[in-house]
């Protein structure tokens, strides 16, 4: 996209926004510590898993670790993630076991979301919006529920920011 003359295009999405929601909704102490230290959590996780302090955001191991953790947060399985990130299923499952060992609160949060969907048929994000599930319970439905809270929350935060920009900076074209 090329902006009109005199205009600039910007992206208002937050750094690790979905992960921040997962972190605070789950109460994951390890992720909270990474954010408090102002480091990139998936970089730090890759460094720990591979025992390589030289890993950065540009390292190939970072990309696969980020995809694995992000997918795992949303209920991804070994076979499903294996295809996406190009690692054997047994490696993905071993990495997931290690990841959830480091971040057990995320697994507890996932189980809680699944139980809410199974039991009452809806979940609620931090803003009080609800997602209702009317079909028979399935793992696909559970994964949609796991993704909905962080993704809907980030969308709401972005919309709030855009409203503030629109109200306070009327010369901006949104």
């Amino acid at each position: 996209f090329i902006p009109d003359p005199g205009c600039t295009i910007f992206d208002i999405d937050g750094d690790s926004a979905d992960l921040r929601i997962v972190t605070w909704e789950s109460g994951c102490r390890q992720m909270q510590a990474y954010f408090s230290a102002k480091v990139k959590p998936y970089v730090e996780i890759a460094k720990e898993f591979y025992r390589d302090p030289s890993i950065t955001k540009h390292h190939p191991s970072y990309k696969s670790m980020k995809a694995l953790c992000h997918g795992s947060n949303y209920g991804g399985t070994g076979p499903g993630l294996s295809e996406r990130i190009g690692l054997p299923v047994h490696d993905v499952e071993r990495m997931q076991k290690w990841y959830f060992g480091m971040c057990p609160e995320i697994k507890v949060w996932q189980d809680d979301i699944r139980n809410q969907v199974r039991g009452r048929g809806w979940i609620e994000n931090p803003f009080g919006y609800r997602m209702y599930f009317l079909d028979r319970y399935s793992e696909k439905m559970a994964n949609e529920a796991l993704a909905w809270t962080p993704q809907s929350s980030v969308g709401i935060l972005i919309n709030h920011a855009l409203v503030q920009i629109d109200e306070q900076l009327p010369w901006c074209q949104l």
Side-chain angles (χ1 to χ4, degrees):
F1 294 96
I2 300 173
D4 292 338
C7 294
T8 302
I9 293 178
F10 66 94
D11 180 6
I12 197 165
D13 194 12
D15 181 44
S16 303
D18 285 24
L19 179 58
R20 289 172 190 274
I21 301 295
V22 169
T23 296
W24 268 267
E25 283 292 296
S26 68
C28 181
R29 291 184 299 271
Q30 183 64 51
M31 290 295 184
Q32 288 173 350
Y34 289 140
F35 283 121
S36 293
K38 299 187 183 332
V39 296
K40 306 281 286 170
Y42 294 142
V43 170
E44 298 306 310
I45 289 169
K47 285 179 183 179
E48 288 184 43
F49 182 80
Y50 292 109
R51 296 183 179 135
D52 181 353
S54 70
I55 292 175
T56 68
K57 188 177 177 180
H58 305 289
H59 193 280
S61 296
Y62 164 77
K63 184 177 179 181
S64 60
M65 183 59 77
K66 179 179 178 181
L68 180 130
C69 295
H70 188 73
S72 296
N73 290 345
Y74 292 163
T77 63
L81 292 173
S82 171
E83 291 178 29
R84 290 192 182 112
I85 61 178
L87 293 174
V89 173
H90 67 274
D91 285 349
V92 171
E93 290 172 344
R94 179 177 55 86
M95 293 166 81
Q96 283 182 310
K97 183 177 179 182
W98 179 87
Y99 173 65
F100 286 127
M102 183 195 312
C103 301
E105 301 92 344
I106 293 175
K107 197 71 164 153
V108 171
W109 169 77
Q110 291 175 332
D111 292 342
D112 184 49
I113 294 290
R114 287 184 179 99
N115 289 334
Q116 289 175 49
V117 172
R118 264 192 218 106
R120 65 184 185 198
W122 56 270
I123 57 173
E124 188 173 270
N125 72 15
F127 293 95
Y129 290 93
R130 290 183 179 173
M131 173 96 173
Y132 289 87
F133 298 90
L134 305 175
D135 291 335
R136 185 174 303 157
Y137 180 85
S138 69
E139 278 306 306
K140 182 179 184 295
M141 179 187 293
N143 292 355
E144 290 171 5
L146 291 170
W148 181 78
T149 296
Q151 292 174 351
S152 67
S153 299
V154 170
I156 290 166
L157 288 167
I158 290 169
N159 284 336
H160 282 295
L162 290 170
V163 167
Q164 291 297 310
I165 290 169
D166 192 46
E167 289 174 355
Q168 297 178 23
L169 305 170
W171 47 269
C172 285
Q173 295 177 2
L174 300 178

